[in-house]
Amino acid sequence: MTNHWIDIKNSDCILIMGSNAAENHPVSFKYVTKAMEKGATLISVDPRFTRTSSRADIFAPIRSGTDIAFLGGMIKYILDKDLYNHEYTAAYTNAPFIVGKDYSFDNGLFSGYKAAEEGPGRGAYDKSQWAFDMDSNGVPRKDRTLKHDRCVFQLLKTHFQRYDLETVSKVTGTSKDDLKRVYKSYAASGARGKAGTIMYAMGWTQHTVGTQNIRTMAIIQLLLGNMGVAGGGVNALRGESNVQGSTDHCLLWHIWPGYLKTARASNTSLEEYNKKWTPASQDPLSANWWQNYSKYSVSLLKSFFGEKATKDNQFGYNWLPKVDDGKAYSWFDLFDAMYNKAINGFFAWGQNPACSGSNAGKIRKAMANLDWMVNVNLFDNETGSFWKGPGVDPASVKTEVFMLPACVSVEKEGSITNSGRWMQWRYPGPAPKGNSLPDGDIIMQLGHKIKKEYKNSGTFPEPIRNLKWDYETNGIYDPHKAAKEINGYFVKDTVIKGKTFKKGTLVPSFAYLTADGSTSSGNWLYCNSYTEKGNMSARRSKTDAVNKIGLYPEFAWCWPVNRRIIYNRASVDLKGHPWDKKDWVIRFEGEEKNGKYVTKKWTGDVPDGGWYPLENPDGSKRDDAKHPFIMRKHGHGQIFGPGRADGPFPEHYEPLECPVEKNYFSSQMTNPTAAVYSTDADAHATCDPRFPFVGTTYRVSEHWQTGLMTRPQPWLMELQPNVFVEMSEELAKLRDISNGERVKVASARGSLECTAVVTKRFRPFKIGYATIHQVGIPWHYGWRWPADGTEESANLLTPPAGDPNTRIPETKAFMVNVTKL
Amino acid sequence: MSKAIFIDTTLCTACRACQVACKQWHNLPAEETVNRGSYQNPEDLSFSTYKLVRMNEEIIDNKLHWLFFADQCRHCRDAPCLDTAFDERAIYKDPLTGAIVYTAQTKRLNADDIIDSCPYNIPRRAADNTLAKCDMCNDRVHNGLKPACVQTCPTGAMDFGERDVMVAKAEKRVKQVQATHPGAMLLDPDAVNVIYLVSQSPRLYWEFAMAQPGKGGLKRSVALRKMAGPLAKLINV
């Protein structure tokens, strides 16, 4: 979230699309309710009428996988009706930037496309063709009047000209009236002082166009001036209490902690690595915060290798693994490699891929190729027991499986980082049961054992031998030591910015990290969370900030530097006055003399940098100011996003498996850069009469993830005892299915038995001239529990295709059949 | 003055945390259920289910509504079950909280009579005819806590407090809701200590959302006792 949970209450219009917050983030509705009591409009856009829809002012049904068409229509509506925030768009976004002549878009393809000869990536773009025109100083050329025919604003207009109501309705299945109602209500948040917010989750991300779904909304939020303001932002509702934290600390393969880049094989030295990933801006008004990259990367290496990391050995850079250039190592790729017998050992740590992974049948088969698997979890699950799962002959599986029992999160001390980027410290509850251990203890012991193995021998032993591994007190994992390591220390007496810091003291904030090896920090983004003033995340003050918008700055701690709403410099106009006088985030209160600001002072939230506003009260420009989007190279919100794999503008493509034979926007049917896997376990079927219905997966309030913690819980099983498939009354009639009957749901990859829930909440869609039915299945179930094995995972159905930027699987739109047993 | 619960169904998202919290506090066993083609489960209140979110899909004025009704004992101010039982060892009213509480002694009552007397179809029996229902978490309330269901509600659909405060809140809120839903109403607010606010016709939520005549009607013996009032109780003791 750019904003945070409490901040939802400040919104004037809440769009819940790509998520089902009432069911899957129930507590968020405390704040949705507060906003509605103050008159906010709630809009629910979903293939099916959900518990969220039941509370909404407007419900608009949409066919799964057509969000870009839906939102693209909104962009066109906003531009056609002149509802965008002119001042914000011209000053804070890259709408005025002039795009180079090489950029073009024709019939679904951007310039620079080249199809791949072999998969899984189907093709890639030469992104240099999307570059901005630069002036003689190397600064992007701009037309702040937004009239230049190659400025981003005009290109945006042209690009979405095709997204008229007629076509959008034909693609999405949403009626034109519903589209207009949603567009009108949401676009109203573009008025000065009004804010609209988006609450999205996996309904947007899990598509072959997942990243671009969110990009489309980001464009809308920028046009309406909703970024940086209270009650606005782009807000991802995370699916677990600590998903944000695990992402910040590099759960994903392509990043190191704090969103530093994983080193590529071509980054042969630390110097080259830093040079490659440090963006350079020639614009004096651009803060270009990532220019500090090397301070963060070197501090991270110091944290990994401690005193062994020296300037002479590039701080141990060459001890870290590098990934091959152009190759992906995502979840999909790992299990693909396992299926192809390229991986023979596997730690399944706190996860249940046999039920949670898309195309789970392939994952289960892949695990039989392993020599060994270590299952670290609370209980045995479908993953640890895959060798005795449905259709598996245990005698034929060679894999040796070890179970390491982990204790549950509430039994241990430590922190979680919630969707709103709040790091919250938790004290331990009841003591762990049996021989279960905190993950920290398991991983510490594992590290000690591996170090012992490498002590006197081993291939390339340096990374293991030199790894700093001292996060214990009296032999027990100490979460405070880990938290301090993450924040970071001065590793020698240092003078920075005129201040002297003693060796061993905690770094007060990332502004004090250095690239010369005098600081260590496990994650620059968390530098400021645990300082000499104490553990900031353990704070529990209930005092609100001066602006009284629910920031509660001394409750827990928030990255970066306790800034509760990021990009908040965009919440004020060029002179530093809030767009919204009532629910303001920050405000410039510097002194003024003869129409010029002469002192600097911001109040409210921690501002995105304390520089002067861009303009003086008399309207003159300042040369000591900075543009508000400080994490972007050029300091502007990116309506044009030339860094994405699949294009600088979002474009509607059909899901890999879809019910229509034509993309009404272009002749490019599916995302030309999607990742599609192609072993014999990766079947797909599009416009195939065997699988005529759109399928999607989702969660319910009553279960969590693959149900490992909820399926053994009788009170929750009482509420939702069976995997079910929801369908319309029309489809049930078509297939002669009665409500409550067990039926078979099948895709090109697998099938499972489900209980039919025949409901008015699903309606057939009118797509073009065809009637398209959609069904949905929750993915919480698995054969291991209930013990009779009747309930299975919906991921046996889901497809082997992913977004080109993230490789997230397309589990939200695929094709199935539903038949009587 | 007694306590009261205010249930604003316009804020309920049917997350059913209240249903689980009730089972947890009262340590009630889960029922063996199957999906019958609905999210609502168990199908009905029972001896081990005191609180149940009833869920109905209704098309009203061409618009689909999913109506949620967190059903439970209303703790009637003048409770027919109490009068019918006429045995304070089995069913009593806590004078401090207004809670109508059933004890294990309900086994000695005529269960059919008690069940039939309830205008909201609440009490349920065990195999041995012991009766059970919501007790307003009377033990929690005496210890300064809110009932478990109210405590756990994430959206503020449920509130608990002094009856006059809850009635005032309900009356204020219903006026607000009426601005957009003219048919919004409070259900039997003068007669009960669990006051529901609904925005649609009560019957669409649940047959017994509002008081219905008991199946057996008011029995002659009960009517006589009611007429005699406290005096009759004295005589009986």
Side-chain angles (χ1 to χ4, degrees):
Chain A
M1 288 173 124
T2 56
N3 294 41
H4 59 101
W5 292 109
I6 297 174
D7 183 63
I8 295 167
K9 81 180 168 82
N10 296 317
S11 194
D12 298 295
C13 188
I14 301 167
L15 173 61
I16 301 186
M17 182 170 175
S19 82
N20 177 7
E23 299 196 41
N24 302 326
H25 301 86
V27 180
S28 70
F29 255 65
K30 178 175 178 176
Y31 305 106
V32 173
T33 299
K34 280 190 179 167
M36 291 178 82
E37 278 173 358
K38 290 192 286 180
T41 306
L42 176 63
I43 303 170
S44 163
V45 180
D46 199 290
R48 135 195 96 120
F49 189 100
T50 65
R51 284 179 256 191
T52 300
S53 319
S54 80
R55 293 277 68 91
D57 298 296
I58 301 171
F59 166 65
I62 179 178
R63 171 170 65 98
S64 276
T66 63
D67 301 78
I68 290 173
F70 191 107
L71 297 173
M74 178 145 34
I75 292 175
K76 179 172 162 58
Y77 183 93
I78 290 167
L79 296 176
D80 284 355
K81 298 209 179 296
D82 198 13
L83 297 169
Y84 63 100
N85 182 327
H86 289 233
E87 201 178 344
Y88 187 107
T89 304
Y92 295 161
T93 78
N94 67 10
F97 287 33
I98 314 291
V99 177
K101 291 197 173 89
D102 287 345
Y103 166 80
S104 67
F105 175 79
D106 182 34
N107 197 16
L109 278 181
F110 296 90
S111 51
Y113 182 70
K114 191 162 177 270
E117 278 157 24
E118 53 181 21
R122 305 166 87 195
Y125 283 105
D126 168 12
K127 292 186 236 174
S128 68
Q129 300 203 15
W130 310 337
F132 296 120
D133 258 5
M134 296 292 182
D135 66 17
S136 53
N137 296 321
V139 177
R141 289 175 55 217
K142 304 177 192 77
D143 172 16
R144 298 274 185 201
T145 69
L146 309 182
K147 292 201 175 94
H148 190 287
D149 62 358
R150 275 189 295 109
C151 81
V152 165
F153 187 77
Q154 294 301 331
L155 295 178
L156 178 80
K157 256 189 167 166
T158 310
H159 186 82
F160 286 105
Q161 200 53 43
R162 297 163 297 140
Y163 288 64
D164 57 87
L165 280 175
E166 193 72 38
T167 314
V168 171
S169 175
K170 202 153 61 174
V171 170
T172 57
T174 314
S175 74
K176 282 191 273 181
D177 282 347
D178 282 344
L179 288 171
K180 275 191 281 188
R181 282 164 70 212
V182 173
Y183 294 170
K184 189 177 174 202
S185 298
Y186 198 80
S189 71
R192 192 172 178 139
K194 295 284 177 196
T197 190
I198 169 66
M199 296 166 71
Y200 77 90
M202 272 68 92
W204 267 3
T205 56
Q206 292 183 346
H207 293 276
T208 43
V209 293
T211 304
Q212 295 289 1
N213 281 335
I214 295 144
R215 282 265 308 131
T216 322
M217 191 66 207
I219 291 171
I220 291 171
Q221 291 297 67
L222 287 170
L223 289 172
L224 297 175
N226 280 332
M227 294 307 297
V229 304
V234 171
N235 295 305
L237 316 183
R238 303 306 209 142
E240 289 196 40
S241 59
N242 201 15
V243 164
Q244 186 63 54
S246 59
T247 313
D248 299 340
H249 292 298
C250 88
L251 178 80
L252 300 172
W253 71 273
H254 65 295
I255 44 179
W256 285 351
Y259 302 94
L260 302 178
K261 307 285 183 182
T262 301
R264 267 54 176 184
S266 59
N267 312 150
T268 52
S269 67
L270 176 62
E271 196 187 341
E272 280 179 50
Y273 166 82
N274 282 332
K275 196 172 158 215
K276 167 79 185 170
W277 302 113
T278 306
S281 167
Q282 309 306 322
D283 185 348
L285 293 182
S286 177
N288 183 26
W289 197 266
W290 280 114
Q291 67 175 292
N292 298 301
Y293 193 96
S294 59
K295 297 174 187 173
Y296 309 149
S297 62
V298 170
S299 295
L300 176 66
L301 289 166
K302 285 295 292 176
S303 165
F304 283 163
F305 299 114
E307 289 175 359
K308 297 284 168 56
T310 64
K311 203 166 183 180
D312 291 342
N313 64 20
Q314 302 181 58
F315 301 105
Y317 173 77
N318 283 328
W319 297 332
L320 289 179
K322 317 286 186 292
V323 296
D324 285 342
D325 292 71
K327 204 171 164 208
Y329 300 77
S330 72
W331 174 281
F332 263 139
D333 302 290
L334 293 181
F335 283 103
D336 197 55
M338 200 186 288
Y339 188 82
N340 289 318
K341 303 187 179 176
I343 289 178
N344 52 22
F346 174 46
F347 274 85
W349 204 309
Q351 54 175 262
N352 190 8
C355 288
S356 66
S358 191
N359 194 13
K362 177 183 174 185
I363 289 173
R364 294 178 189 186
K365 279 184 198 150
M367 291 190 297
N369 290 336
L370 294 168
D371 294 335
W372 56 265
M373 178 203 292
V374 181
N375 191 27
V376 190
N377 219 314
L378 309 182
F379 314 118
D380 180 34
N381 56 8
E382 287 80 3
T383 299
S385 283
F386 81 94
W387 52 273
K388 55 177 177 178
V392 182
D393 171 18
S396 71
V397 179
K398 60 165 181 170
T399 316
E400 191 174 4
V401 180
F402 304 89
M403 170 84 198
L404 297 182
C407 68
V408 72
S409 60
V410 297
E411 292 169 337
K412 58 194 182 186
E413 187 177 17
S415 77
I416 63 107
T417 302
N418 75 7
S419 304
R421 297 169 287 105
W422 290 15
M423 173 186 174
Q424 301 183 69
W425 199 261
R426 293 173 168 185
Y427 57 84
K433 297 216 169 187
N435 60 351
S436 67
L437 287 174
D439 296 288
D441 285 288
I442 297 174
I443 204 159
M444 284 307 296
Q445 289 185 28
L446 185 65
H448 288 313
K449 292 263 159 69
I450 293 171
K451 272 177 163 291
K452 204 173 152 198
E453 293 293 323
Y454 276 86
K455 197 166 177 194
N456 298 314
S457 62
T459 307
F460 191 36
E462 291 83 359
I464 306 290
R465 283 187 199 157
N466 295 330
L467 180 68
K468 193 159 81 74
W469 204 243
D470 55 357
Y471 311 116
E472 288 161 313
T473 300
N474 300 325
I476 309 274
Y477 168 72
D478 183 343
H480 291 275
K481 281 193 177 161
K484 288 177 184 174
E485 183 70 36
I486 288 166
N487 179 84
Y489 296 97
F490 291 96
V491 299
K492 56 185 175 202
D493 291 356
T494 311
V495 179
I496 303 173
K497 301 183 180 185
K499 285 191 192 175
T500 307
F501 297 94
K502 283 269 170 230
K503 177 182 175 178
T505 53
L506 292 156
V507 181
S509 95
F510 52 66
Y512 295 93
L513 294 176
T514 66
D516 64 1
S518 53
T519 58
S520 154
S521 171
N523 188 335
W524 72 276
L525 217 41
Y526 281 74
C527 191
N528 185 232
S529 63
Y530 205 132
T531 66
E532 292 299 327
K533 288 181 185 159
N535 182 353
M536 298 292 122
S537 69
R539 296 178 301 174
R540 289 296 180 268
S541 165
K542 290 180 184 166
T543 309
D544 203 354
V546 54
N547 45 8
K548 303 283 179 219
I549 55 169
L551 298 178
Y552 300 100
E554 291 178 2
F555 188 97
W557 178 88
C558 173
W559 70 253
V561 288
N562 208 32
R563 183 175 300 134
R564 304 286 161 141
I565 296 178
I566 53 182
Y567 296 125
N568 57 30
R569 285 286 298 267
S571 72
V572 296
D573 65 17
L574 279 76
K575 296 182 175 68
H577 306 141
W579 303 110
D580 186 342
K581 301 282 179 248
K582 194 173 135 279
D583 295 329
W584 58 279
V585 183
I586 57 166
R587 190 160 71 190
F588 191 72
E589 292 185 353
E591 289 167 288
E592 178 192 340
K593 217 176 208 173
N594 305 326
K596 306 276 191 274
Y597 288 127
V598 290
T599 58
K600 275 189 286 191
K601 189 189 173 200
W602 291 92
T603 52
D605 196 7
V606 178
D608 261 310
W611 304 282
Y612 278 103
L614 286 157
E615 284 182 3
N616 284 308
D618 63 7
S620 57
K621 304 277 182 204
R622 294 193 68 107
D623 56 11
D624 52 0
K626 300 288 177 206
H627 296 303
F629 288 86
I630 62 170
M631 300 310 288
R632 307 312 324 172
K633 183 158 73 173
H634 303 301
H636 288 68
Q638 301 206 113
I639 286 175
F640 191 81
R644 298 282 68 81
D646 37 9
F649 285 132
E651 172 67 2
H652 169 74
Y653 301 113
E654 287 292 329
L656 181 74
E657 290 189 339
C658 69
V660 292
E661 286 178 331
K662 182 171 159 47
N663 176 356
Y664 288 97
F665 289 104
S666 73
S667 59
Q668 185 62 45
M669 199 59 196
T670 54
N671 187 339
T673 57
V676 180
Y677 296 81
S678 54
T679 69
D680 56 352
D682 290 312
H684 42 89
T686 196
C687 294
D688 184 328
R690 292 176 302 157
F691 305 105
F693 311 129
V694 179
T696 192
T697 61
Y698 39 72
R699 310 186 191 196
V700 296
S701 309
E702 297 82 1
H703 285 292
W704 201 49
Q705 307 288 70
T706 65
L708 190 71
M709 291 171 81
T710 55
R711 281 185 278 133
Q713 165 45 260
W715 290 326
L716 297 174
M717 280 306 270
E718 176 192 80
L719 298 172
Q720 290 287 14
N722 306 102
V723 60
F724 57 87
V725 54
E726 284 181 286
M727 66 184 78
S728 68
E729 291 170 344
E730 291 83 352
L731 176 57
K733 201 172 163 199
L734 195 71
R735 283 287 195 252
D736 189 28
I737 289 166
S738 352
N739 194 22
E741 179 181 344
R742 289 290 271 189
V743 296
K744 181 181 167 185
V745 185
S747 77
R749 293 153 298 277
S751 67
L752 71 153
E753 210 182 291
C754 302
T755 303
V757 170
V758 179
T759 172
K760 292 182 171 60
R761 295 179 294 99
F762 251 127
R763 295 297 312 278
F765 291 102
K766 198 105 181 90
I767 305 296
Y769 300 101
T771 299
I772 302 287
H773 294 279
Q774 180 164 354
V775 301
I777 311 171
W779 61 274
H780 302 293
Y781 296 86
W783 61 269
R784 182 79 180 77
W785 191 267
D788 57 9
T790 54
E791 311 306 301
E792 258 290 12
S793 171
N795 278 317
L796 293 171
L797 306 172
T798 49
D803 175 283
N805 298 285
T806 61
R807 304 255 165 159
I808 200 165
E810 189 158 63
T811 61
K812 297 301 173 237
F814 53 95
M815 297 304 289
V816 296
N817 196 6
V818 183
T819 47
K820 282 176 92 77
L821 284 181
Chain B
M1 179 57 72
S2 67
K3 306 281 185 187
I5 296 176
F6 170 46
I7 302 182
D8 182 349
T9 64
T10 68
L11 300 183
C12 175
T13 57
C15 72
R16 300 194 282 180
C18 55
Q19 209 176 305
V20 175
C22 177
K23 291 227 158 176
Q24 186 180 28
W25 181 254
H26 295 96
N27 202 16
L28 295 167
E31 298 184 38
E32 293 269 335
T33 58
V34 291
N35 187 319
R36 296 160 290 101
S38 164
Y39 282 27
Q40 183 182 315
N41 237 333
E43 189 170 12
D44 195 11
L45 294 171
S46 76
F47 187 73
S48 49
T49 300
Y50 304 164
K51 178 128 191 166
L52 175 71
V53 179
R54 300 186 185 275
M55 306 165 92
N56 269 329
E57 294 166 19
E58 295 287 345
I59 291 175
I60 305 164
D61 299 333
N62 284 323
K63 203 181 156 199
L64 178 61
H65 292 257
W66 201 0
L67 302 176
F68 308 132
F69 191 82
D71 197 14
Q72 64 168 89
C73 173
R74 310 298 196 278
H75 297 277
C76 299
R77 302 177 79 194
D78 194 2
C81 64
L82 183 80
D83 289 334
T84 304
F86 202 60
D87 180 348
E88 294 199 327
R89 289 164 299 176
I91 300 180
Y92 67 92
K93 179 179 195 163
D94 185 321
L96 288 174
T97 62
I100 307 290
V101 181
Y102 287 15
T103 75
Q105 299 295 322
T106 48
K107 189 162 57 176
R108 300 163 3 140
L109 304 173
N110 181 331
D112 286 332
D113 281 358
I114 304 294
I115 290 167
D116 288 350
S117 76
C118 177
Y120 300 101
N121 187 19
I122 294 295
R124 295 290 185 273
R125 72 177 103 204
D128 69 355
N129 274 332
T130 309
L131 293 166
K133 64 158 193 73
C134 158
D135 61 359
M136 212 195 244
C137 287
N138 209 31
D139 48 353
R140 290 175 60 93
V141 173
H142 276 282
N143 285 283
L145 300 170
K146 290 176 180 173
C149 57
V150 178
Q151 178 68 40
T152 201
C153 178
T155 62
M158 275 184 273
D159 200 359
F160 173 81
E162 294 300 324
R163 178 180 164 81
D164 53 351
V165 177
M166 289 300 109
V167 169
K169 181 176 175 177
E171 283 172 350
K172 190 175 161 205
R173 174 68 184 159
V174 76
K175 286 201 184 82
Q176 260 177 18
V177 178
Q178 278 165 346
T180 48
H181 299 81
M185 62 191 286
L186 301 174
L187 302 182
D188 305 330
D190 299 330
V192 296
N193 281 325
V194 176
I195 302 166
Y196 288 83
L197 189 166
V198 295
S199 57
Q200 307 294 339
S201 166
R203 269 193 167 269
L204 297 177
Y205 292 80
W206 167 231
E207 187 186 348
F208 293 94
M210 287 184 87
Q212 304 299 316
K215 251 190 266 171
L218 200 57
K219 288 208 184 326
R220 190 181 132 75
S221 58
V222 178
L224 281 172
R225 265 191 255 127
K226 271 185 90 75
M227 283 159 65
L231 186 64
K233 283 185 187 169
L234 277 177
I235 297 164
N236 197 41
V237 170

